[in-house]
Amino acid sequence: MATFILIALIFVAFYFVPFGHPIVDQSILNGFYLLHEYAREHVLLCLVPAFFIAGTISVMLKKDAVLKLLGPNARRIISYPVAAISGGILAVCSCTILPLFGGIYRKGAGIGPATTFLFAGPAINIAAIFLTARVLGWDLGLARLIATITAAVLIGLIMEMIYQERGEGGLAFTSDDDQYGVRGIIFFLIQLGFLVTSSLGINQTFKYSLMTVLGLSALFMALFGFKRDTVQNWLYETWDFAKKILPYLFIGVFFAGVLTRLLPQQVVTALLGSNGFLSNLVASVIGALMYFATLTEVPIVQALRELGMAKGPTLALLMAGNSLSLPSMIVITKLLGRKKAFTYFGLVVIFSTLFGLIYGAI
């Protein structure tokens, strides 16, 4: 039935779209222009290295130790910071955060660290942070990182304070040998150095020379520093991240380009054009209700900024948009129960609004 409805909607859309109308044609063309810009400026030197880094994290860096630190026996001064930055450590995206959250919550993590992990996980994905910084500005990328980590810890602490739930038992994970050790960390840092260097506005000759050295170093380690099956797993995980994310990103970029031509600028300006409380609240609610596939929030926010969205609502939308959506709300409600879930939803909107106000006032 769902397939039939989808086919019917696509048919109706293409049947009634007034192709040939100047606004429609310009909107579609603008979607392709934005795709062209992303392909040339952000894919090869930003997204591709980020996918390789995600593959490295998935295969070569030990995750069990990180997840064990979220258990009820862990001190708050350890469990909350680990939960807040684990999105970068574990390379989780919005499609994988929910089962991971359900797993750590049901295996003994308290409500506080678990919801901190749930909020921060997708938002500080390495690819998301670097794409935000490259496309929307390094000040916003840094603000997104700091605000997300801070809000995540505060949300978790408030959830624990309200429900007085520290968790039960311990987190039991299968233990794998840390066979890559220092080599895995060095391999990760070399790739991260390549990604950071590609984003720097420095002397071009020095920049590309350093990137060449780092790239060749990573290639040398991949060929001679690890076993063949390890490298194959690394390449598989890298490809798995790319194939899951890139199609949605390209679709999101295209529709963001279309949006900048179809959406009336005065509507965006009226709703999101100031750094006041109402604009930030509206941005937070929109972000909480909309579904953003990983990284697609960046081109959509870029389109809205071009239409007049202020910088405060920009941050609010980015913070709420990755952590919540209508589909994820249904899953979270089933995992936490209605009372806890709606408390969490409210806290996400409140803190996204608050940090949007702070950023807008700076």
Side-chain angles (χ1 to χ4, degrees):
M1 186 64 176
T3 304
F4 171 77
I5 293 174
L6 179 62
I7 293 173
L9 288 173
I10 293 173
F11 169 77
V12 170
F14 279 100
Y15 188 88
F16 287 104
V17 169
F19 293 107
H21 191 284
I23 294 179
V24 174
D25 290 351
Q26 290 171 14
S27 299
I28 294 172
L29 187 60
N30 197 61
F32 286 111
Y33 277 141
L34 194 57
L35 267 175
H36 172 71
E37 178 189 329
Y38 265 72
R40 297 193 64 176
E41 297 185 13
H42 306 301
V43 173
L44 291 179
L45 296 181
C46 181
L47 291 176
V48 172
F51 290 142
F52 278 108
I53 290 172
T56 300
I57 292 171
S58 181
V59 173
M60 299 179 188
L61 299 186
K62 197 169 181 179
K63 297 181 284 296
D64 285 357
V66 173
L67 293 174
K68 286 177 182 177
L69 293 174
L70 304 183
N73 297 323
R75 297 171 61 188
R76 287 184 180 88
I77 197 171
I78 296 175
S79 61
Y80 279 97
V82 168
I85 65 173
S86 55
I89 297 172
L90 301 176
V92 291
C93 61
S94 58
C95 58
T96 59
I97 189 67
L98 291 174
L100 280 174
F101 162 72
I104 65 171
Y105 181 61
R106 289 181 174 177
K107 287 179 179 179
I111 186 71
T115 50
T116 292
F117 172 77
L118 175 63
F119 179 77
I124 62 168
N125 182 305
I126 287 177
I129 292 298
F130 273 91
L131 188 63
T132 300
R134 285 282 293 268
V135 177
L136 303 175
W138 282 97
D139 61 328
L140 181 58
L142 184 61
R144 181 183 185 183
L145 180 63
I146 295 172
T148 299
I149 292 174
T150 306
V153 171
L154 293 174
I155 287 172
L157 288 170
I158 292 172
M159 289 290 290
E160 182 181 328
M161 181 180 67
I162 292 174
Y163 294 104
Q164 297 295 308
E165 183 182 317
R166 286 280 292 158
E168 299 176 356
L171 294 177
F173 292 92
T174 55
S175 178
D176 54 349
D177 295 330
D178 191 12
Q179 56 182 315
Y180 310 115
V182 176
R183 284 176 300 159
I185 295 173
I186 293 173
F187 190 52
F188 166 76
L189 292 176
I190 289 173
Q191 294 173 84
L192 184 61
F194 182 93
L195 180 59
V196 171
T197 303
S198 71
S199 306
L200 297 177
I202 57 178
N203 179 273
Q204 295 295 299
T205 302
F206 176 75
K207 174 179 176 178
Y208 289 113
S209 298
L210 182 56
M211 288 171 62
T212 300
V213 171
L214 291 169
L216 291 174
S217 300
L219 179 61
F220 181 84
M221 284 200 70
L223 291 175
F224 303 107
F226 303 99
K227 296 179 181 178
R228 184 175 179 180
D229 61 337
T230 300
V231 176
Q232 289 176 340
N233 289 337
W234 169 59
L235 293 174
Y236 172 81
E237 289 294 331
T238 299
W239 169 240
D240 191 53
F241 276 107
K243 73 180 181 181
K244 286 178 179 176
I245 292 173
L246 281 178
Y248 292 104
L249 178 62
F250 290 152
I251 292 170
V253 170
F254 176 79
F255 280 105
V258 172
L259 185 68
T260 57
R261 288 291 182 270
L262 286 181
L263 189 63
Q265 184 172 356
Q266 56 268 30
V267 173
V268 177
T269 303
L271 292 175
L272 306 171
S274 75
N275 290 307
F277 173 77
L278 186 59
S279 289
N280 281 285
L281 178 62
V282 170
S284 299
V285 172
I286 291 173
L289 296 177
M290 287 182 65
Y291 172 73
F292 292 110
T294 302
L295 305 182
T296 58
E297 76 277 7
V298 176
I300 291 172
V301 165
Q302 182 186 19
L304 291 173
R305 286 186 67 173
E306 290 177 2
L307 291 171
M309 182 167 67
K311 69 176 191 175
T314 299
L315 179 60
L317 184 60
L318 286 171
M319 289 181 66
N322 272 99
S323 59
L324 289 179
S325 67
L326 279 176
S328 72
M329 284 180 179
I330 296 172
V331 177
I332 293 169
T333 301
K334 290 181 179 179
L335 291 171
L336 289 179
R338 187 176 299 176
K339 187 175 180 180
K340 292 176 185 175
F342 277 85
T343 303
Y344 171 70
F345 303 154
L347 288 172
V348 169
V349 171
I350 289 169
F351 277 99
S352 298
T353 303
L354 176 62
F355 278 96
L357 281 167
I358 294 171
Y359 180 63
I362 296 175

